[in-house]
Amino acid sequence: MPLPLYLLALAVFAMGTSEFMLAGLLPDIASDLDVTVATAGVLTSAFAIGMIVGAPLVAALARNWPRRPVLLGFVLVFAAAHAVGAGTTSFPLLFATRVVAAVANAGFLAVALTAAAALVSPDRKGRALAVLLSGTTVATIAGVPGGSVLGAAFGWRATFWAVAVLCLPAALGILKGIPAGHGEDEATARPALRVELAELARPRLILVMLLGALVNAATFGSLTFLAPVVTDSAGLGELWISVALVLFGAGSFVGVTIAGRLSDRSPGPVIAVGGPLLLIGWPALAVLGNEPVALFLLLFVQGALSFALGSTLITRVLYEAAGAPTMGGSYATAALNMGAAVGPVVAAATFGTKVGVLGPLWASGLLVAVALLIALPLLTVITAGRSTEVLR
């Protein structure tokens, strides 16, 4: 894999740390800003909504701009939003900074996904996506738990400042490692914007985007409210939240790495085997959530299965959007974050029920069940396009 791909992954690590870090900070934010934990959880949805709207909008605006200054600009805006968020005492303003950061993240990821696919041969998109998403999974292993520990020791604002600082080496890496332009051949071969937008009318593209969104909704729904499961259901101290996040992140790294080797040529088995196992895992976590050993073991497994299945489906989005070379990355980003927006809202709604803090785990199981009811009967349709050719 080319070096610029790893430099993009470094920036994804910084942004992934921010996107996931609220899982360990929600109780502290809620207490400091005088809102409920469920209300604070809406910050995750705010970020996701910004990603959904921002990805296609910014990708369309930036499709003719040189990649290096565009990527650098997004990273710097992202850092500035976190600096403002770290200093505010207003929940609405914090909400607004999350939306701004999300738009910057969306623009970056949409351009980065397209750039990553262009850096490798057409039949290695899955591998390139795995490298790029490894920034996110490493964030869940190191960045998010580290942020949780930092937040527990010095308050949630310290974690926001840390993310802002973390963006600086990522910006330097982009400045030094990403080519300044996008190539004349690529520019002249690019389809018109209306042609790329027309891809969204294709049923198979809509299908894989929907499935990716449902699986990601399950992931974010439970991950956003993981802290109360660890502290209330399992009865552990706040520092154990970091342990839980590390295990989930370690599993996600394993899952995305394995999927990266399978999603190009063998996506069917990943979906057919990983999907049912993921479905079983979420209710199992709900039932065994009061047993720390079982909780931590299942979190590792669910991290692996969630990211293996999710990254495979997002790879299918890139294949199905092959006719939209500059907008395809934004479609994949939007699919990821439609789930990230819906998941926490669905999960938060379960807090008022008798299942309490375990409600998000049951909700995640329901979301995966819906995805499988759609996916398994249409498995051959979903996995038909592969390698250098996407069947229409």
Coordinates of all heavy atoms in Angstrom, one line a residue, residues 135-177:
G135 N -7.4 3.7 10.6 CA -7.2 4.9 11.5 C -8.4 5.0 12.5 O -8.1 5.4 13.6
T136 N -9.6 4.6 12.1 CA -10.7 4.6 13.0 C -10.6 3.5 14.0 O -10.8 3.8 15.2 CB -12.0 4.4 12.2 OG1 -12.2 5.5 11.3 CG2 -13.2 4.4 13.1
T137 N -10.2 2.3 13.6 CA -10.1 1.2 14.6 C -9.0 1.5 15.6 O -9.1 1.1 16.7 CB -9.9 -0.1 13.8 OG1 -8.7 -0.1 13.0 CG2 -11.1 -0.4 12.9
V138 N -7.8 2.0 15.1 CA -6.8 2.3 16.1 C -7.2 3.4 17.0 O -6.8 3.5 18.2 CB -5.5 2.8 15.3 CG1 -4.4 3.3 16.3 CG2 -4.9 1.6 14.5
A139 N -8.1 4.3 16.5 CA -8.6 5.3 17.4 C -9.5 4.7 18.5 O -9.4 5.2 19.7 CB -9.5 6.3 16.6
T140 N -10.2 3.7 18.2 CA -11.0 3.0 19.2 C -10.1 2.2 20.2 O -10.5 2.0 21.4 CB -12.1 2.1 18.6 OG1 -11.4 1.0 17.9 CG2 -13.0 2.8 17.7
I141 N -8.9 1.8 19.7 CA -8.0 1.0 20.6 C -7.2 2.0 21.5 O -7.1 1.7 22.7 CB -7.0 0.2 19.8 CG1 -7.8 -0.9 19.0 CG2 -6.0 -0.5 20.7 CD1 -6.9 -1.6 17.9
A142 N -6.7 3.1 20.9 CA -5.8 3.9 21.6 C -6.4 5.3 21.9 O -6.4 5.8 23.0 CB -4.5 4.1 20.9
G143 N -6.9 6.0 20.9 CA -7.3 7.3 21.0 C -8.5 7.5 21.9 O -8.5 8.3 22.8
V144 N -9.6 6.7 21.7 CA -10.8 6.9 22.5 C -10.6 6.5 24.0 O -10.9 7.2 24.9 CB -11.9 6.1 21.9 CG1 -13.2 6.1 22.8 CG2 -12.2 6.6 20.5
P145 N -10.0 5.3 24.2 CA -9.7 5.0 25.7 C -8.7 6.0 26.3 O -8.9 6.4 27.5 CB -9.0 3.6 25.6 CG -9.5 3.0 24.3 CD -9.6 4.2 23.4
G146 N -7.7 6.4 25.5 CA -6.8 7.5 26.1 C -7.6 8.7 26.4 O -7.4 9.4 27.4
G147 N -8.5 9.1 25.5 CA -9.3 10.3 25.8 C -10.2 10.1 27.0 O -10.5 11.0 27.8
S148 N -10.7 8.8 27.2 CA -11.6 8.5 28.3 C -10.8 8.7 29.6 O -11.3 9.2 30.6 CB -12.1 7.1 28.2 OG -13.0 6.8 29.3
V149 N -9.5 8.2 29.6 CA -8.7 8.3 30.8 C -8.4 9.8 31.1 O -8.4 10.2 32.2 CB -7.4 7.5 30.6 CG1 -6.4 7.8 31.7 CG2 -7.7 6.0 30.6
L150 N -8.0 10.5 30.0 CA -7.7 11.9 30.1 C -9.0 12.7 30.7 O -8.8 13.6 31.5 CB -7.3 12.5 28.8 CG -6.8 13.9 28.7 CD1 -5.5 14.0 29.5 CD2 -6.6 14.3 27.3
G151 N -10.1 12.3 30.2 CA -11.4 13.0 30.6 C -11.6 12.7 32.1 O -12.1 13.5 32.9
A152 N -11.4 11.4 32.5 CA -11.6 11.0 33.9 C -10.7 11.8 34.8 O -11.0 12.1 36.0 CB -11.5 9.5 34.1
A153 N -9.5 12.0 34.3 CA -8.5 12.6 35.2 C -8.6 14.2 35.2 O -8.4 14.8 36.3 CB -7.1 12.2 34.7
F154 N -8.9 14.8 34.0 CA -8.8 16.2 33.9 C -10.1 16.9 33.4 O -10.2 18.1 33.2 CB -7.7 16.6 33.0 CG -6.3 16.2 33.5 CD1 -5.7 15.1 32.9 CD2 -5.7 16.8 34.5 CE1 -4.4 14.7 33.3 CE2 -4.4 16.4 35.0 CZ -3.8 15.3 34.3
G155 N -11.1 16.0 33.2 CA -12.4 16.6 32.7 C -12.5 16.4 31.1 O -11.5 16.3 30.4
W156 N -13.7 16.4 30.7 CA -14.0 16.1 29.2 C -13.3 17.2 28.3 O -13.0 16.9 27.2 CB -15.5 16.0 28.9 CG -16.2 17.3 29.2 CD1 -16.8 17.7 30.3 CD2 -16.5 18.3 28.2 NE1 -17.4 18.9 30.1 CE2 -17.3 19.3 28.8 CE3 -16.2 18.5 26.9 CZ2 -17.7 20.5 28.2 CZ3 -16.6 19.6 26.2 CH2 -17.4 20.6 26.9
R157 N -13.2 18.4 28.8 CA -12.6 19.5 28.0 C -11.2 19.2 27.6 O -10.7 19.5 26.5 CB -12.7 20.8 28.7 CG -14.1 21.3 29.1 CD -14.1 22.6 29.9 NE -15.4 22.8 30.4 CZ -16.4 23.4 29.6 NH1 -16.2 23.7 28.4 NH2 -17.6 23.6 30.2
A158 N -10.4 18.5 28.5 CA -9.0 18.2 28.2 C -9.0 17.2 27.0 O -8.1 17.3 26.1 CB -8.4 17.5 29.4
T159 N -10.0 16.3 26.8 CA -10.0 15.4 25.7 C -10.3 16.2 24.4 O -9.6 15.9 23.4 CB -11.1 14.3 25.9 OG1 -10.8 13.7 27.2 CG2 -11.1 13.3 24.8
F160 N -11.1 17.2 24.4 CA -11.4 18.0 23.2 C -10.1 18.7 22.8 O -9.8 18.8 21.6 CB -12.5 19.0 23.5 CG -13.9 18.4 23.2 CD1 -14.4 17.3 24.0 CD2 -14.7 18.9 22.2 CE1 -15.7 16.8 23.7 CE2 -15.9 18.4 21.9 CZ -16.4 17.3 22.7
W161 N -9.4 19.3 23.8 CA -8.1 20.0 23.5 C -7.1 19.0 22.9 O -6.4 19.3 21.9 CB -7.5 20.6 24.7 CG -8.2 21.9 25.1 CD1 -8.9 22.2 26.2 CD2 -8.2 23.1 24.3 NE1 -9.3 23.5 26.2 CE2 -8.9 24.1 25.1 CE3 -7.6 23.5 23.1 CZ2 -9.1 25.4 24.6 CZ3 -7.8 24.8 22.7 CH2 -8.5 25.7 23.4
A162 N -7.1 17.8 23.4 CA -6.1 16.8 22.9 C -6.4 16.4 21.5 O -5.5 16.3 20.7 CB -6.2 15.5 23.8
V163 N -7.7 16.3 21.1 CA -8.0 16.1 19.7 C -7.6 17.2 18.8 O -7.1 17.0 17.7 CB -9.6 15.8 19.5 CG1 -10.0 15.7 18.1 CG2 -9.9 14.5 20.2
A164 N -7.8 18.4 19.2 CA -7.4 19.6 18.4 C -5.9 19.5 18.2 O -5.4 19.8 17.1 CB -7.8 20.9 19.1
V165 N -5.1 19.2 19.2 CA -3.6 19.1 19.1 C -3.2 18.0 18.2 O -2.3 18.0 17.4 CB -3.0 19.0 20.5 CG1 -1.5 18.7 20.3 CG2 -3.2 20.3 21.3
L166 N -4.0 16.8 18.3 CA -3.7 15.6 17.5 C -3.8 15.9 16.0 O -3.2 15.2 15.2 CB -4.7 14.5 17.9 CG -4.4 13.1 17.4 CD1 -3.0 12.6 17.8 CD2 -5.5 12.2 17.9
C167 N -4.6 16.9 15.7 CA -4.8 17.2 14.2 C -3.6 17.8 13.6 O -3.4 17.7 12.4 CB -6.0 18.2 14.1 SG -7.6 17.5 14.4
L168 N -2.7 18.4 14.4 CA -1.5 19.1 13.8 C -0.5 18.2 13.1 O -0.2 18.5 12.0 CB -0.9 19.9 14.9 CG -1.8 21.0 15.6 CD1 -1.0 21.8 16.7 CD2 -2.4 21.9 14.6
P169 N -0.1 17.1 13.7 CA 0.8 16.2 13.0 C 0.1 15.6 11.8 O 0.7 15.3 10.7 CB 1.2 15.1 14.0 CG 0.2 15.2 15.1 CD -0.3 16.6 15.1
A170 N -1.2 15.4 11.9 CA -2.0 14.8 10.7 C -2.0 15.9 9.6 O -1.8 15.5 8.4 CB -3.4 14.5 11.1
A171 N -2.1 17.1 9.9 CA -2.1 18.2 8.9 C -0.7 18.2 8.3 O -0.5 18.4 7.0 CB -2.4 19.5 9.5
L172 N 0.4 18.1 9.1 CA 1.7 18.1 8.5 C 2.0 16.9 7.6 O 2.6 17.1 6.5 CB 2.7 18.1 9.7 CG 4.2 18.1 9.3 CD1 4.5 19.4 8.5 CD2 5.1 18.0 10.5
G173 N 1.4 15.8 8.0 CA 1.6 14.6 7.1 C 0.9 14.7 5.8 O 1.5 14.4 4.8
I174 N -0.3 15.4 5.8 CA -1.0 15.6 4.5 C -0.2 16.6 3.7 O 0.0 16.4 2.5 CB -2.4 16.2 4.8 CG1 -3.3 15.1 5.4 CG2 -3.0 16.7 3.5 CD1 -4.6 15.6 6.0
L175 N 0.3 17.7 4.3 CA 1.1 18.7 3.6 C 2.4 18.1 2.9 O 2.7 18.5 1.8 CB 1.5 19.8 4.6 CG 2.1 21.1 4.0 CD1 1.1 21.7 3.0 CD2 2.5 22.0 5.1
K176 N 3.0 17.1 3.6 CA 4.2 16.6 3.1 C 4.0 15.4 2.2 O 4.9 15.1 1.4 CB 5.1 16.2 4.3 CG 5.6 17.3 5.2 CD 6.5 18.3 4.4 CE 7.0 19.4 5.3 NZ 7.9 20.3 4.6
G177 N 2.9 14.6 2.4 CA 2.8 13.3 1.7 C 1.8 13.2 0.6 O 1.8 12.3 -0.2

